[in-house]
Amino acid sequence: RDRIVVRLVLETLAFAAAAVLGTLVFFLHPLSVAVIALAIASIDGGIFLLMYLWAVPLDAVAFICLAMSIGLSVDYVVHVAHAFEHEEGTPEQRIKAALHGIGWSVLKGGGSTFLGVVALAGADSEIFRTFFKMLFSTVLLGLLAGLVLFPACVIFVGKWITPKLLEKTPAGVAQADAVAKPAGGGGGPP
């Protein structure tokens, strides 16, 4: 029975990770997605380690939390990856600008999630305490992956991740000019 549960958990985590990573390939550079995959694996590995240290059994509650952890934890990393891809310069300059632009928001997102589950820590029910332990682990490890692991990795591989710069087309400029002009043309040349 234990082998069946372990197999079910591992298959579910693998399919969830594949679905997330398969979706990300459409939006991010494949090398960014590879670093995100490393982050997901490290987060899940860390969660399993904390489950062992906290003596959390691999039961239905832990299984649900592990499945949720893929979606929760990848969020922190993806925001930083997306910001990195939209910056110019050396990898060091790009990650610094990305963290300056989005890092505080990612940290506030993790903090608000933590505040949302902290009341479960003192619950009488073991189920709620397990839920807290799992989500606390997910938030903590997700923040570390997004704000420390991903930046450290892209400093080394970021030179192969081309920036996605916002392109300004003549039609886009013309539309912006038309919106800025008052009705009736404003008396100036077209």
Side-chain angles (χ1 to χ4, degrees), residues 62-170:
F63 174 70
I64 290 167
C65 291
L66 282 167
M68 288 176 23
S69 72
I70 294 283
L72 285 172
S73 61
V74 76
D75 193 41
Y76 306 115
V77 184
V78 169
H79 279 87
V80 176
H82 183 265
F84 174 80
E85 289 194 10
H86 285 85
E87 296 293 341
E88 291 184 85
T90 66
E92 292 85 2
Q93 293 168 332
R94 291 170 66 194
I95 196 61
K96 185 177 179 181
L99 289 173
H100 180 73
I102 198 78
W104 185 245
S105 297
V106 169
L107 191 60
K108 286 193 297 187
S112 66
T113 303
F114 172 73
L115 289 175
V117 299
V118 73
L120 299 175
D124 292 334
S125 171
E126 183 64 30
I127 292 173
F128 290 134
R129 286 195 307 275
T130 299
F131 198 75
F132 166 76
K133 290 175 184 177
M134 298 293 289
L135 289 180
F136 170 76
S137 302
T138 300
V139 170
L140 178 68
L141 295 171
L143 285 172
L144 286 172
L147 299 175
V148 178
L149 178 64
F150 183 83
C153 290
V154 296
I155 284 176
F156 295 107
V157 299
K159 61 186 170 191
W160 295 292
I161 301 172
T162 55
K164 293 181 181 179
L165 303 177
L166 298 176
E167 296 177 8
K168 295 180 181 174
T169 62

